[in-house]
Amino acid sequence: IRIRRTLQKAMMQHVGIVRSFDGLRSTEKLAAELLHAYYSAPNAPFTSYGVESRNLLLASQHVVRGALKRDRNVGLHFNADLLAAELLN
């Protein structure tokens, strides 16, 4: 439960509609740490909750990596750091 709540909080805070590179990088690092904690945890009986938690961790890594690769603001996803670069051009 702690892993999912921690991930949810970070994703809402740093990977929502308004983002920054610092927030994305910190969430990328946190997701990797949480995935390591997930795999390091003692084996528990199989449940869909455990599988969903792992899938959320993996999906969050893909979302964050994709957001870090963006070089411009597109659609609804807005990186505040890119706005400064766009205004200078």
Side-chain angles (χ1 to χ4, degrees):
I1 293 175
R2 179 194 64 81
I3 289 174
R4 275 176 84 157
R5 286 188 183 162
T6 303
L7 178 66
Q8 182 181 25
K9 182 178 176 183
M11 292 295 287
M12 290 179 65
Q13 185 174 3
H14 299 295
V15 194
I17 294 172
V18 178
R19 307 165 174 184
S20 71
F21 286 122
D22 287 341
L24 290 168
R25 282 189 286 270
S26 70
T27 303
E28 180 181 40
K29 181 181 177 192
L30 177 65
E33 292 169 357
L34 291 172
L35 191 60
H36 177 73
Y38 173 86
Y39 285 124
S40 299
N43 289 337
F46 178 82
T47 65
S48 60
Y49 187 86
V51 174
E52 289 172 358
S53 296
R54 185 203 63 211
N55 290 345
L56 287 169
L57 288 163
L58 295 172
S60 71
Q61 289 183 318
H62 289 289
V63 169
V64 170
R65 288 178 188 149
L68 284 168
K69 290 180 182 178
R70 287 188 182 268
D71 60 355
R72 58 191 154 94
N73 288 317
V74 178
L76 187 62
H77 301 286
F78 178 82
N79 188 323
D81 296 331
L82 293 176
L83 177 64
E86 290 171 358
L87 292 175
L88 292 175
N89 291 330

